Amino acid sequence: MEHIISFLETAKLARKQVYRNLTVFPLLAPDGSTPDYRTLEQALAEKLIQIAELNKEGSVPELKLKNLGKKSVLIIEGEELVGAKQNRIVNSSFFIAGKTEVVIPVSCVEQRRWTYRTESFASGKRMMHASLRRAHQEEVNYSLKAGRGYQSDQGRIWNDISDKLERMEVHSPTAAMADAYESYEDPLSEFLKNFQLIDWQVGAVFAVDGRVIGLEGFGCHDTFKRFFDKLVKSYALDALDSRDKQQSKSVPPDDARRFIASAAKSKGENHPSLGLGKKVTFESRTASGSALVEGDRVLHLSAFRKEKTNNKSRVGFRRSSHRRSLR
């Protein structure tokens, strides 16, 4: 945890940015480094990485990844891959060495399709919406602690996406998360116009409806810059799916500082990573999260506010949703 604590204590909170019911506090830290790796989206665009179904028949929770380049590739939890037999998201953040072939753990975000559209996957240029990523991260962290690896609760993911599509009145023949984003492309673009990257920014604290929800941090400015739009949209989609979506509620900077401090006081647990580095899961009284650490640097860190449901702490969204049984 020492590198995570150092990262959180070094980062400084900048002036908040607000649009409607979404508030973003930029996190700043000195960093003069240039990434010695590619992001997943970069590698896919440059054809330095190939991601395909495990075999011709396919396997919902697994994909085959080949890093064809010499540089390592950074993959961030919740990144969407589109194509092949169904769209997926990556279950955790991984750092895959160059010239390596691995099987990566994924989850389906398109329930009603199991037919090929393409042979391999492309970047969806999206991330799982923040409220679901909170729940998803909790399930994966629990699986790691139980010794079951990077498994997710697939049924919970399908139910959550179906509920969101219904609430937001999105028609999706395949129950795809992507359709929610595409249906709300214009309002999401309005959110993006009202949030700007600033110098030295390596992360942000996000609040919806006047309440701090999550924290995202990266090891260098350039990497955070590449994920900024995706992260804002992932929280904005939840902001649009709120009863208070038209209201702007003040969020005191001290609320964000307390959340960061809570994450820094967490108890951490190390886990083997799929690729380079190690996975660190951590939990405090109010925050739960995970980080990918390689050497003495934090490549990616995310933390979410814990909720209490039925006398048990869980990481979840405040809105209730109608759960469906799996078909």
Side-chain angles (χ1 to χ4, degrees), residues 47-50 66-71 73 97-100:
K47 301 187 185 304
L48 294 174
I49 198 169
Q50 293 177 351
K66 292 182 181 180
N67 184 357
L68 306 174
K70 295 181 180 179
K71 289 189 175 183
V73 174
K99 303 297 182 179
T100 300

Side-chain angles (χ1 to χ4, degrees), residues 134 211 213 286 305-309 312-318:
R134 291 193 298 176
R211 190 165 182 265
I213 297 298
T286 58
R305 178 173 296 281
K306 291 165 65 176
E307 300 287 347
K308 289 186 177 181
T309 305
K312 293 174 64 178
S313 291
R314 296 187 67 85
V315 181
F317 195 45
R318 283 195 302 166

Side-chain angles (χ1 to χ4, degrees), residues 70-81:
K70 295 181 180 179
K71 289 189 175 183
S72 300
V73 174
L74 178 63
I75 302 171
I76 300 302
E77 64 178 21
E79 284 196 84
E80 186 186 33
L81 297 164

Side-chain angles (χ1 to χ4, degrees), residues 160-171:
D160 184 285
I161 292 172
S162 293
D163 289 339
K164 184 173 282 288
L165 292 171
E166 181 178 331
R167 286 195 306 268
M168 300 185 78
E169 299 181 342
V170 175
H171 174 66

Side-chain angles (χ1 to χ4, degrees), residues 208-228:
V208 176
D209 295 340
R211 190 165 182 265
V212 172
I213 297 298
L215 159 68
E216 308 286 344
F218 291 80
C220 61
H221 310 137
D222 184 79
T223 307
F224 178 73
K225 179 180 179 180
R226 295 182 182 279
F227 285 91
F228 179 72

Side-chain angles (χ1 to χ4, degrees), residues 36-54:
D36 56 352
Y37 53 81
R38 293 283 190 269
T39 64
L40 176 62
E41 187 173 331
Q42 282 179 297
L44 285 168
E46 296 170 15
K47 301 187 185 304
L48 294 174
I49 198 169
Q50 293 177 351
I51 303 177
E53 297 291 354
L54 194 61

Side-chain angles (χ1 to χ4, degrees), residues 78-80 82 123-128 177-178 181-182 230:
E79 284 196 84
E80 186 186 33
V82 298
S123 171
K125 300 183 179 181
R126 288 179 289 263
M127 299 185 74
M128 179 186 281
M177 179 187 75
Y181 278 97
E182 291 172 5
K230 297 178 187 179

